[in-house]
Amino acid sequence: DAKTTQPNSMESNEEEPVHLPCNHSTISGTDYIHWYRQLPSQGPEYVIHGLTSNVNNRMASLAIAEDRKSSTLILHRATLRDAAVYYCILRDCTGTASKLTFGTGTRLQVTL
Amino acid sequence: GAVVSQHPSWVICKSGTSVKIECRSLDFQATTMFWYRQFPKQSLMLMATSNEGSKATYEQGVEKDKFLINHASLTLSTLTVTSAHPEDSSFYICSAPPGQGLLNTEAFFGQGTRLTVV
């Protein structure tokens, strides 16, 4: 699986937007970009995913660079409940295995 | 949305005993489930792939005789930690991807099981 690189940690103030970057310079044409987050003592939960175009859902937005070598997860208004570890994962859509390979992720701290 | 339920959420056991962890897909069928292990302050590490009706596939370095996986039905996979030791204490998480063959869909995770071996 192609690797991703994320900052180890980031901080944000509550009610402010947060941009979480992810580099994936070795991404292949068939890789989808997935984002999951893990709150303390819980299993990961899905946030968003995309292939080439920017994506929006109720939780976040995903901005994908034109060359697809990087992406940014955008939380429009961070809340204390958004404090979690955010994982950027590439998922090959052509293989038969659909396992997710987790990197180290970004630990987001949200303060008042 | 699809739900994956994991039980128990936490367990404490004595060294040398075995512990069984269940993972159920509540509203969809899963021919494949994945088992992860997570140590404190670390990321999730894939242990094995559970396949309904066939043997599990283990990742390199994971002892298949110690971590027994049984995928008895399309909605249930179990992980049994045999002869548990303190170094097996960890957070175990299962995952099931719905929509088999649709690899651009989201995966769903159980809430995790905190195993403490004393």
Side-chain angles (χ1 to χ4, degrees), chain A residues 21-73:
Chain A
C22 180
N23 288 320
H24 29 77
S25 58
T26 59
I27 190 171
S28 72
T30 54
D31 283 335
Y32 275 80
I33 302 162
H34 282 244
W35 284 81
Y36 286 77
R37 73 179 186 180
Q38 186 180 22
L39 280 64
S41 298
Q42 294 187 30
E45 65 173 339
Y46 168 81
V47 178
I48 200 166
H49 76 279
L51 183 61
T52 57
S53 303
N54 294 343
V55 184
N56 299 296
N57 66 21
R58 63 175 181 81
M59 289 182 70
S61 296
L62 177 60
I64 301 173
E66 197 170 334
D67 63 5
R68 301 210 324 126
K69 293 185 177 183
S70 65
S71 60
T72 303
L73 178 69

Side-chain angles (χ1 to χ4, degrees), chain B residues 6-72:
Chain B
Q6 202 172 326
H7 177 81
S9 57
W10 62 269
V11 58
I12 302 173
C13 72
K14 290 185 177 180
S15 187
T17 61
S18 295
V19 175
K20 180 185 286 187
I21 303 170
E22 293 186 347
C23 181
R24 294 181 184 274
S25 56
L26 296 185
D27 53 0
F28 66 97
Q29 294 181 334
T31 57
T32 302
M33 292 185 179
F34 301 101
W35 287 96
Y36 295 83
R37 179 170 53 181
Q38 185 176 32
F39 292 108
K41 304 292 186 184
Q42 294 186 24
S43 186
L44 284 77
M45 294 298 295
L46 180 66
M47 298 176 65
T49 302
S50 173
N51 304 299
E52 189 271 335
S54 63
K55 291 183 178 180
T57 305
Y58 291 83
E59 296 298 303
Q60 192 172 8
V62 178
E63 299 176 58
K64 61 180 180 181
D65 293 331
K66 181 170 185 61
F67 299 99
L68 301 179
I69 290 174
N70 182 21
H71 200 138

